Amino acid sequence: MLHVRSIWNGAISFGLVSIPIKLVNATENHSISFRQIHAEDGGRIRYRKFCELEDREVSSQEIGKGYEDSDGTIIPITDEDLARLPIPTAKTIEIVAFVPEDRIDPLQMDAAYYLQAGGAPAAKPYTLLREALKRSKKIAITKYALRGRERLGMLRVVGDAIAMHGLLWPDEVRAPEGVAPDADVTVRDKELDLADALMDTLGEVDLEDLHDEYREAVEEVVAAKAAGETPPEAPAPEAGGKVLDLMAALENSVRAARESRGEDAEVKHLQQRKTSRSSPKDTGGKKSTSTTKKTASSPRKSTSKTSQAEKKTTKGTATKSTAKKTAAKKTPAKKATSRKRSA
């Protein structure tokens, strides 16, 4: 059982079945918070709430809420006014439908809560709803009121508990217009192959192994300053710039990922992946067309360098073969001389 203060008490309306529940936060914020201070002397900066009419500071018990009309008039709204709203979701999480989970766009998902059974009488209907959700492999779409507004929600099973995700209304999610590149871009198969290889190399990760490095660094700074020591300095940022050669960037990424995992860093041309995309044609023993194209499209400088290297190699080979022939001629003479001496 969660020993967390509930933020809302009510019931789940499941047809004619009513399940008393308590709503508790399913997440918590671990980020480091700072106080505002006077930079000159370190004094705390505090905000005081004043009444404009009486020009005096008021306590939190004296503060209510009001709606500002278009002409600037403030209309007071009390908690009692909101409690008497003529909607069924004021104190009830109303289930309106059951749908497959993939019907929900992750962009709609908001805050997460756990629904805690409200006492012993709620145990049986709570378990019934949980098991029904499990067996149907569906989620429940709900409507509920919280913090002065009606909201959309989604119920799903997490372990042995029922969790509720607040959902944004569909009209609150913006369409991704004007976000994608306007230019007509063609992605080559080789680039996709390297992207696939990079994805395979990075593989999966256990989310439990991930941690907030920024928060840890801030804690180190706070600890160092509290001890009167010099805070650690950040490493120099790596030089960045425009990626001019996408293939080279992908190959370097695959190589770096493999090295970090202690694997072979060599990046091959991924012939198997390309074969799986399209079966190769029978070339009848001829040279590959792609190889011929590569040779034809290579710069002149590289061709001239290659020819020069071939000439050097030919000369070197000829010299070595001449030396071998000369040595072969001399060898029998030496053997004959040694035979005569021995005789």
Side-chain angles (χ1 to χ4, degrees):
M1 182 181 293
L2 287 172
H3 299 286
V4 182
R5 184 175 62 89
S6 62
I7 61 173
W8 185 90
N9 294 342
I12 301 174
S13 175
F14 180 28
L16 297 178
V17 178
S18 181
I19 311 171
I21 57 97
K22 296 179 180 180
L23 197 67
V24 298
N25 286 317
T27 61
E28 53 189 4
N29 187 359
H30 290 165
S31 60
I32 297 174
S33 59
F34 297 99
R35 303 290 187 184
Q36 289 188 331
I37 62 170
H38 187 194
E40 185 176 339
D41 55 20
R44 282 282 304 276
I45 301 297
R46 299 183 183 275
Y47 291 95
R48 302 180 186 276
K49 298 182 179 181
F50 278 77
C51 173
E52 291 182 351
L53 297 179
E54 298 183 11
D55 193 23
R56 70 175 181 86
E57 186 178 354
V58 295
S59 63
S60 57
Q61 290 78 12
E62 299 177 84
I63 298 175
K65 59 175 70 74
Y67 174 81
E68 185 174 1
D69 207 351
S70 57
D71 60 358
T73 304
I74 300 295
I75 303 171
I77 301 293
T78 65
D79 292 337
E80 289 75 16
D81 294 331
L82 297 176
R84 290 194 295 265
L85 286 175
I87 56 173
T89 56
K91 277 293 181 182
T92 303
I93 297 175
E94 181 184 6
I95 296 177
V96 296
F98 292 89
V99 300
E101 191 169 0
D102 59 7
R103 287 275 300 276
I104 301 300
D105 188 339
L107 287 173
Q108 283 186 257
M109 299 182 71
D110 201 2
Y113 309 95
Y114 287 129
L115 303 184
Q116 185 178 10
K124 182 65 178 288
Y126 184 100
T127 304
L128 171 65
L129 176 58
R130 183 191 68 201
E131 295 305 312
L133 288 171
K134 279 184 180 180
R135 191 166 71 171
S136 67
K137 297 181 180 179
K138 292 183 177 181
I139 58 171
I141 301 299
T142 66
K143 292 173 68 178
Y144 65 102
L146 183 65
R147 299 188 180 102
R149 54 171 290 200
E150 188 173 53
R151 301 165 188 261
L152 198 61
M154 173 187 83
L155 301 186
R156 68 185 184 96
V157 178
V158 177
D160 292 330
I162 299 174
M164 181 171 73
H165 294 270
L167 299 177
L168 300 175
W169 296 97
D171 60 358
E172 293 179 319
V173 179
R174 294 177 177 176
E177 296 177 357
V179 177
D182 293 331
D184 186 12
V185 179
T186 301
V187 179
R188 296 178 296 166
D189 282 347
K190 286 184 179 180
E191 293 167 340
L192 283 172
D193 290 337
L194 280 169
D196 289 343
L198 179 57
M199 293 168 65
D200 291 342
T201 304
L202 292 175
E204 298 183 359
V205 66
D206 186 352
L207 294 180
E208 295 293 333
D209 295 335
L210 302 179
H211 57 279
D212 188 347
E213 296 182 15
Y214 180 82
R215 188 187 75 203
E216 293 174 355
V218 172
E219 289 174 348
E220 288 181 8
V221 170
V222 172
K225 298 201 76 172
E229 300 172 355
T230 304
E233 294 185 3
E238 296 181 0
K242 295 182 179 179
V243 178
L244 300 179
D245 190 340
L246 182 58
M247 287 290 290
L250 286 168
E251 288 177 354
N252 291 336
S253 299
V254 173
R255 188 177 294 109
R258 288 178 177 173
E259 287 177 350
S260 67
R261 291 174 177 268
E263 299 174 2
D264 183 10
E266 183 182 357
V267 180
K268 298 180 181 178
H269 291 290
L270 307 171
Q271 294 294 334
Q272 292 181 352
R273 287 179 180 273
K274 197 165 186 182
T275 304
S276 64
R277 291 180 185 275
S278 57
S279 56
K281 296 180 180 179
D282 185 8
T283 58
K286 297 180 181 179
K287 291 183 179 179
S288 172
T289 309
S290 60
T291 308
T292 308
K293 285 183 179 178
K294 284 182 182 177
T295 308
S297 61
S298 60
R300 292 180 180 176
K301 289 184 179 179
S302 61
T303 308
S304 61
K305 288 181 180 178
T306 306
S307 61
Q308 290 175 9
E310 288 174 353
K311 287 179 181 179
K312 289 180 180 179
T313 306
T314 307
K315 288 180 180 179
T317 307
T319 305
K320 288 180 181 178
S321 61
T322 305
K324 285 181 179 178
K325 288 178 180 178
T326 305
K329 289 179 181 179
K330 291 180 179 179
T331 304
K334 287 183 179 180
K335 287 182 178 179
T337 305
S338 60
R339 285 177 184 173
K340 286 179 180 180
R341 287 178 182 175
S342 60

